[in-house]
Amino acid sequence: MPTFPIPMPTDLTILLTVMDFVGVFVFGLSGGTLAVRKQLDLFGVMVLSLAAALAGGVVRDLLIGALPPASLQDDRYLLVALAAGLAAFLFHKPINRLGKPVMVLDAAGLGLFTVAGCSKALSYGLTPLPAALLGVMTACGGGAMRDLLVAEVPRVLREEIYAMAALLGAAVVIAGRQLDLPPVPVAVVGALAAFLLRVVSVQRNWSAPKAPWS
Amino acid sequence: MPTFPIPMPTDLTILLTVMDFVGVFVFGLSGGTLAVRKQLDLFGVMVLSLAAALAGGVVRDLLIGALPPASLQDDRYLLVALAAGLAAFLFHKPINRLGKPVMVLDAAGLGLFTVAGCSKALSYGLTPLPAALLGVMTACGGGAMRDLLVAEVPRVLREEIYAMAALLGAAVVIAGRQLDLPPVPVAVVGALAAFLLRVVSVQRNWSAPKAPWS
Amino acid sequence: MPTFPIPMPTDLTILLTVMDFVGVFVFGLSGGTLAVRKQLDLFGVMVLSLAAALAGGVVRDLLIGALPPASLQDDRYLLVALAAGLAAFLFHKPINRLGKPVMVLDAAGLGLFTVAGCSKALSYGLTPLPAALLGVMTACGGGAMRDLLVAEVPRVLREEIYAMAALLGAAVVIAGRQLDLPPVPVAVVGALAAFLLRVVSVQRNWSAPKAPWS
């Protein structure tokens, strides 16, 4: 997630940075509250919070060779993720009751992380197909790592329109780049598309298809 | 897997490239069909297919610092792995009935990936022992990642002569390099040795040894 | 683990190198004996031994961009880890009875790996917070990988003062660096602090806190 490798006006940079931190915090909450449910200790809560918030971006940076990863170069990402872990440790009960607002913020993080990940991969010279995959991985990898750390099959592989929403956002970014459209509006549209598909799919209980006759 | 870092005649290059894609496709099938059995959705099937087909080579490239990994630099690897996932999604029943041909093709992939991985590690300056390990990881890492993603102990750690066959192939490549033999025939012999040990061990139901008194 | 990136007198270098190998061996034993308990075959025992002994340092080196990882550049690390795997395969029963000496050696490895990992991260230009996290990861990552490979929730996330001891050691190193104290005594104090907190916490049965009302 960290870093929007797109030249853009200062106001938008500030807005995106704030939303990026919101995404990190909400993803971190998802890791921290799962850790509490799984009876992990304080350290385990912090590790799951860090993993959920940052692992997607870390793996993307490893794969494109952007080392050290962005979230190890700007302490604010670690601090926001750790703050989310502490919040989950202390206030997991009220947080778990906040189902809908957390879902909406998570969907915002999903859109932002996808667009940021995909754009960063393109700016490192990857072609559209792997860049789209890395965008999806940026958004979904943290949640997958979170689930693997408690020995569960990642939810993103099983249910709901989550990765599909990320894929839609990545597709918008790729299409915009292919058509040479200005990157900032394209990024906004991509993030919004992923956000809206995610929110609507939760409202309407949509799921990704499963194999026929399985 | 991707890339055979050995100078060789054009005909052989074409043959190896074709066999490399066959390996990617068959490894991808193993991931995709497992995902269908585990009731994952379409996205999960694609992810397991990608992981099984490409993760071994990706981890090898991460470890030797060959970034971005080969399979993110040539779209054909991603496309072949995704095609395998789609095939598994649509035709998992007939594919599951193809036990023996799939096993033979998988053994061919095992031999090829081992030799390619080991040779690439040597060409990046690693010494024989880590190069042999990276050859085995190239061949076995994808299957291990596939199993971990559905929260299972990797089959390669538990049963059958699979990693041992890869180790034999890697040993041939290392021995050939030490004796300064020409790389192409050595690679062919290494891949064949791994392939044959794997096929014979399945036919005869051989297993790797377990600890005594355990 | 591998490499102490601190200039220091020769005698101390030799001592630290020996203790580093002891740490690798004992961590390897923890992987190998778990593999035997889980009925893995010889290959699985070796993989778990390698993972437990070396994965923490490998992930650290991946994240700071020190490629190939130190343990792939000095065969002795691989050989010591493989020797630990073989020892576990052959002698797991007596090793399992050696509870206390193994725990003490493991605590020594914990202290050393933390200090080495944290110092290496600092010497690669990371700021204190990520460097401390990488120190903890160097010490705890191998054990976590070992548990994940047999599809278990890592013990380090659930119980006992283990990561907290590593964190204490890392905090000493960071504080020493901030105060510009000489690195060698700081490293010794950091490793000792982690070692002692770990040993005392096992003796007294201390645990890290869990979330209230969970």
XYZ file of all heavy atoms in Angstrom, chain A residues 120-176:
398
model
N 2.088 1.256 -8.601
C 3.504 1.107 -8.261
C 4.154 0.026 -9.126
O 5.276 0.197 -9.597
C 3.662 0.767 -6.776
C 5.115 0.793 -6.319
C 5.265 0.765 -4.809
C 6.732 0.910 -4.405
N 6.925 0.879 -2.945
N 3.446 -1.082 -9.337
C 3.995 -2.158 -10.164
C 4.223 -1.667 -11.593
O 5.257 -1.964 -12.209
C 3.059 -3.368 -10.145
N 3.265 -0.899 -12.145
C 3.449 -0.344 -13.491
C 4.657 0.583 -13.525
O 5.460 0.550 -14.465
C 2.194 0.425 -13.926
C 0.974 -0.420 -14.296
C -0.248 0.465 -14.470
C 1.226 -1.240 -15.560
N 4.813 1.402 -12.469
C 5.914 2.365 -12.474
C 7.266 1.664 -12.312
O 8.307 2.245 -12.588
C 5.722 3.414 -11.383
O 6.045 2.875 -10.131
N 7.262 0.412 -11.856
C 8.497 -0.375 -11.810
C 8.700 -1.177 -13.087
O 9.539 -2.073 -13.139
C 8.511 -1.295 -10.586
C 9.124 -0.611 -9.383
C 8.416 0.359 -8.684
C 10.420 -0.909 -8.964
C 8.974 1.007 -7.604
C 10.987 -0.272 -7.872
C 10.259 0.683 -7.204
O 10.820 1.332 -6.139
N 7.883 -0.907 -14.111
C 8.149 -1.497 -15.413
C 7.450 -2.821 -15.682
O 7.727 -3.461 -16.695
N 6.563 -3.245 -14.772
C 5.868 -4.495 -15.065
C 4.804 -4.281 -16.139
O 4.280 -3.180 -16.312
C 5.222 -5.072 -13.790
C 6.140 -6.052 -13.056
C 7.329 -5.334 -12.464
C 5.382 -6.814 -11.991
N 4.499 -5.340 -16.848
C 3.459 -5.272 -17.877
C 2.087 -5.356 -17.195
O 1.990 -5.670 -16.009
C 3.654 -6.414 -18.889
O 3.835 -7.632 -18.176
C 4.890 -6.155 -19.742
N 1.003 -5.057 -17.941
C -0.314 -4.942 -17.303
C -0.770 -6.175 -16.519
O -1.270 -6.028 -15.385
C -1.239 -4.676 -18.499
C -0.383 -3.925 -19.460
C 0.973 -4.570 -19.342
N -0.594 -7.371 -17.073
C -1.125 -8.543 -16.375
C -0.489 -8.740 -14.994
O -1.205 -8.813 -13.981
C -0.975 -9.797 -17.258
C -1.472 -11.090 -16.645
C -2.954 -11.041 -16.333
C -1.180 -12.264 -17.587
N 0.861 -8.823 -14.899
C 1.421 -8.943 -13.542
C 1.137 -7.722 -12.669
O 0.967 -7.874 -11.454
C 2.928 -9.117 -13.779
C 3.165 -8.820 -15.204
C 1.891 -8.987 -15.941
N 1.044 -6.536 -13.264
C 0.741 -5.346 -12.452
C -0.651 -5.455 -11.841
O -0.861 -5.114 -10.672
C 0.865 -4.084 -13.301
N -1.606 -5.953 -12.626
C -2.959 -6.127 -12.085
C -2.944 -7.139 -10.947
O -3.553 -6.933 -9.887
C -3.913 -6.582 -13.190
N -2.210 -8.252 -11.141
C -2.128 -9.267 -10.082
C -1.502 -8.691 -8.822
O -1.947 -8.970 -7.707
C -1.316 -10.468 -10.557
C -2.017 -11.366 -11.566
C -1.076 -12.468 -12.031
C -3.273 -11.975 -10.936
N -0.459 -7.857 -8.985
C 0.182 -7.279 -7.807
C -0.730 -6.271 -7.129
O -0.686 -6.111 -5.907
C 1.529 -6.658 -8.185
C 2.620 -7.679 -8.503
C 3.931 -6.982 -8.851
C 2.842 -8.639 -7.333
N -1.571 -5.578 -7.904
C -2.561 -4.693 -7.291
C -3.518 -5.487 -6.405
O -3.781 -5.113 -5.252
N -4.009 -6.598 -6.946
C -4.912 -7.448 -6.159
C -4.184 -7.992 -4.933
O -4.737 -8.028 -3.824
C -5.469 -8.594 -7.034
C -6.300 -9.544 -6.204
C -6.284 -8.021 -8.192
N -2.909 -8.406 -5.129
C -2.157 -8.941 -3.993
C -1.910 -7.882 -2.917
O -1.943 -8.177 -1.721
C -0.823 -9.503 -4.470
C 0.107 -9.872 -3.323
S 1.604 -10.660 -3.887
C 0.957 -12.295 -4.302
N -1.673 -6.644 -3.338
C -1.482 -5.575 -2.365
C -2.709 -5.435 -1.466
O -2.604 -5.248 -0.253
C -1.206 -4.237 -3.085
O -0.095 -4.399 -3.971
C -0.910 -3.127 -2.099
N -3.884 -5.554 -2.097
C -5.123 -5.351 -1.343
C -5.533 -6.587 -0.553
O -6.088 -6.480 0.533
C -6.250 -4.949 -2.299
N -5.258 -7.771 -1.094
C -5.776 -9.009 -0.490
C -4.715 -9.797 0.263
O -5.049 -10.694 1.053
C -6.368 -9.915 -1.569
S -7.689 -9.126 -2.505
N -3.430 -9.506 0.026
C -2.371 -10.315 0.603
C -2.302 -10.220 2.122
O -2.013 -11.202 2.805
N -2.570 -9.031 2.653
C -2.517 -8.865 4.104
C -3.560 -9.716 4.802
O -3.272 -10.394 5.788
N -4.777 -9.685 4.278
C -5.837 -10.502 4.865
C -5.533 -11.991 4.754
O -5.822 -12.770 5.671
N -4.928 -12.382 3.631
C -4.584 -13.790 3.460
C -3.512 -14.200 4.476
O -3.608 -15.248 5.124
C -4.101 -14.043 2.033
N -2.494 -13.361 4.638
C -1.432 -13.657 5.602
C -1.996 -13.737 7.023
O -1.635 -14.634 7.794
C -0.376 -12.551 5.522
C 0.833 -12.774 6.389
S 1.901 -14.062 5.733
C 2.827 -13.100 4.522
N -2.880 -12.796 7.352
C -3.559 -12.797 8.659
C -4.221 -14.142 8.929
O -4.044 -14.734 9.998
C -4.615 -11.682 8.630
C -5.590 -11.634 9.782
C -6.834 -10.820 9.387
N -7.632 -11.554 8.398
C -8.540 -11.021 7.577
N -8.776 -9.743 7.606
N -9.198 -11.776 6.706
N -4.957 -14.667 7.946
C -5.665 -15.926 8.154
C -4.700 -17.106 8.215
O -4.873 -18.025 9.020
C -6.694 -16.143 7.039
C -7.770 -15.065 7.042
O -7.919 -14.360 8.063
O -8.479 -14.930 6.027
N -3.655 -17.081 7.369
C -2.692 -18.182 7.375
C -1.982 -18.265 8.725
O -1.669 -19.357 9.200
C -1.662 -17.990 6.259
C -2.192 -18.207 4.839
C -1.130 -17.842 3.808
C -2.632 -19.664 4.647
N -1.720 -17.112 9.359
C -1.004 -17.114 10.640
C -1.814 -17.772 11.756
O -1.252 -18.175 12.771
C -0.618 -15.686 11.043
C 0.601 -15.120 10.311
C 0.756 -13.636 10.603
C 1.872 -15.853 10.723
N -3.126 -17.856 11.594
C -3.897 -18.622 12.574
C -4.374 -19.943 11.967
O -5.356 -20.533 12.407
C -5.074 -17.823 13.150
C -4.549 -16.667 13.995
C -5.990 -17.300 12.061
N -3.616 -20.407 10.936
C -3.836 -21.740 10.363
C -5.241 -21.913 9.802
O -5.846 -22.969 9.931
C -3.514 -22.827 11.397
N -5.757 -20.849 9.174
C -7.052 -20.967 8.501
C -6.902 -20.727 7.008
O -6.020 -19.981 6.580
C -8.028 -19.920 9.063
C -8.461 -20.223 10.473
C -9.625 -19.338 10.901
O -9.924 -18.365 10.200
O -10.208 -19.651 11.952
N -7.781 -21.355 6.234
C -7.804 -21.069 4.808
C -8.228 -19.606 4.630
O -9.238 -19.189 5.194
C -8.808 -21.983 4.083
C -8.816 -21.690 2.594
C -8.474 -23.439 4.340
N -7.436 -18.813 3.900
C -7.773 -17.397 3.746
C -9.217 -17.200 3.273
O -9.649 -17.821 2.313
C -6.774 -16.918 2.678
C -5.602 -17.815 2.845
C -6.163 -19.152 3.239
N -9.928 -16.319 3.974
C -11.321 -16.048 3.611
C -11.450 -15.554 2.185
O -12.423 -15.858 1.499
C -11.902 -14.974 4.546
C -12.535 -15.540 5.779
C -13.152 -14.443 6.612
N -14.194 -13.719 5.889
C -14.789 -12.611 6.342
N -14.425 -12.117 7.505
N -15.720 -12.021 5.653
N -10.443 -14.800 1.736
C -10.517 -14.209 0.406
C -10.547 -15.281 -0.680
O -11.004 -15.031 -1.794
C -9.332 -13.238 0.188
C -8.013 -13.976 0.101
C -9.539 -12.380 -1.041
N -10.086 -16.494 -0.348
C -10.106 -17.574 -1.343
C -11.434 -18.306 -1.359
O -11.695 -19.115 -2.243
C -8.997 -18.601 -1.055
C -7.565 -18.088 -1.032
C -6.605 -19.238 -0.770
C -7.219 -17.419 -2.353
N -12.275 -18.047 -0.358
C -13.452 -18.880 -0.211
C -14.759 -18.195 -0.521
O -15.709 -18.805 -0.957
C -13.524 -19.391 1.244
C -12.691 -20.622 1.478
C -12.839 -21.021 2.919
N -12.435 -19.930 3.800
C -12.745 -19.847 5.087
N -13.480 -20.778 5.652
N -12.325 -18.844 5.822
N -14.840 -16.904 -0.220
C -16.175 -16.365 -0.163
C -16.220 -14.888 -0.512
O -15.260 -14.162 -0.386
C -16.748 -16.555 1.235
C -15.809 -16.126 2.332
C -16.359 -16.519 3.707
O -16.750 -17.685 3.878
O -16.386 -15.652 4.576
N -17.382 -14.470 -0.946
C -17.673 -13.058 -1.132
C -16.898 -12.445 -2.292
O -15.916 -12.971 -2.765
C -17.363 -12.255 0.158
C -18.139 -12.721 1.342
C -17.686 -12.004 2.602
O -16.873 -11.083 2.512
O -18.167 -12.374 3.675
N -17.415 -11.314 -2.701
C -16.774 -10.517 -3.742
C -15.757 -9.627 -3.053
O -16.097 -8.532 -2.585
C -17.822 -9.653 -4.472
C -18.945 -10.499 -5.042
C -17.161 -8.797 -5.543
C -18.571 -11.370 -6.194
N -14.530 -10.071 -2.937
C -13.516 -9.219 -2.323
C -12.375 -9.031 -3.334
O -12.105 -7.928 -3.784
C -13.026 -9.846 -1.022
C -12.276 -8.893 -0.123
C -12.945 -8.168 0.859
C -10.916 -8.707 -0.262
C -12.263 -7.279 1.670
C -10.227 -7.818 0.544
C -10.899 -7.114 1.514
O -10.220 -6.224 2.318
N -11.783 -10.176 -3.697
C -10.733 -10.100 -4.707
C -11.284 -9.607 -6.040
O -10.595 -8.899 -6.777
C -10.096 -11.476 -4.867
N -12.522 -9.987 -6.343
C -13.111 -9.548 -7.613
C -13.218 -8.025 -7.643
O -13.003 -7.395 -8.678
C -14.512 -10.151 -7.792
C -14.529 -11.658 -7.881
S -13.791 -12.277 -9.425
C -13.452 -13.982 -8.951
N -13.565 -7.426 -6.505
C -13.638 -5.968 -6.442
C -12.254 -5.363 -6.684
O -12.113 -4.378 -7.423
C -14.185 -5.536 -5.080
N -11.218 -5.974 -6.079
C -9.859 -5.488 -6.312
C -9.497 -5.621 -7.791
O -8.898 -4.714 -8.385
C -8.867 -6.272 -5.448
N -9.889 -6.746 -8.375
C -9.578 -6.983 -9.784
C -10.222 -5.913 -10.665
O -9.603 -5.430 -11.624
C -10.082 -8.374 -10.174
C -9.360 -9.088 -11.295
C -7.863 -9.144 -11.044
C -9.902 -10.511 -11.432
N -11.442 -5.536 -10.332
C -12.110 -4.478 -11.101
C -11.321 -3.170 -10.995
O -11.077 -2.489 -12.006
C -13.537 -4.278 -10.575
C -14.305 -3.111 -11.209
C -14.546 -3.363 -12.691
C -15.641 -2.888 -10.486
N -10.899 -2.815 -9.793
C -10.106 -1.591 -9.623
C -8.814 -1.646 -10.423
O -8.424 -0.668 -11.081
N -8.147 -2.793 -10.376
C -6.898 -2.950 -11.129
C -7.161 -2.843 -12.627
O -6.378 -2.228 -13.366
C -6.241 -4.290 -10.787
N -8.273 -3.423 -13.072
C -8.595 -3.372 -14.502
C -8.801 -1.937 -14.967
O -8.386 -1.559 -16.062
C -9.845 -4.220 -14.778
N -9.425 -1.127 -14.113
C -9.625 0.284 -14.471
C -8.279 0.985 -14.626
O -8.043 1.727 -15.594
C -10.494 0.994 -13.404
C -10.488 2.504 -13.623
C -11.913 0.452 -13.421
N -7.364 0.742 -13.679
C -6.047 1.381 -13.760
C -5.317 0.958 -15.028
O -4.727 1.791 -15.745
C -5.201 1.031 -12.516
C -3.775 1.539 -12.667
C -5.840 1.627 -11.271
N -5.345 -0.344 -15.311
C -4.659 -0.854 -16.505
C -5.270 -0.264 -17.769
O -4.554 0.204 -18.671
C -4.754 -2.395 -16.538
C -4.039 -3.002 -15.323
C -4.197 -2.938 -17.846
C -2.572 -2.768 -15.290
N -6.598 -0.273 -17.840
C -7.268 0.261 -19.028
C -6.916 1.733 -19.214
O -6.622 2.182 -20.330
C -8.778 0.074 -18.897
N -6.922 2.493 -18.117
C -6.578 3.908 -18.206
C -5.167 4.105 -18.737
O -4.912 4.984 -19.575
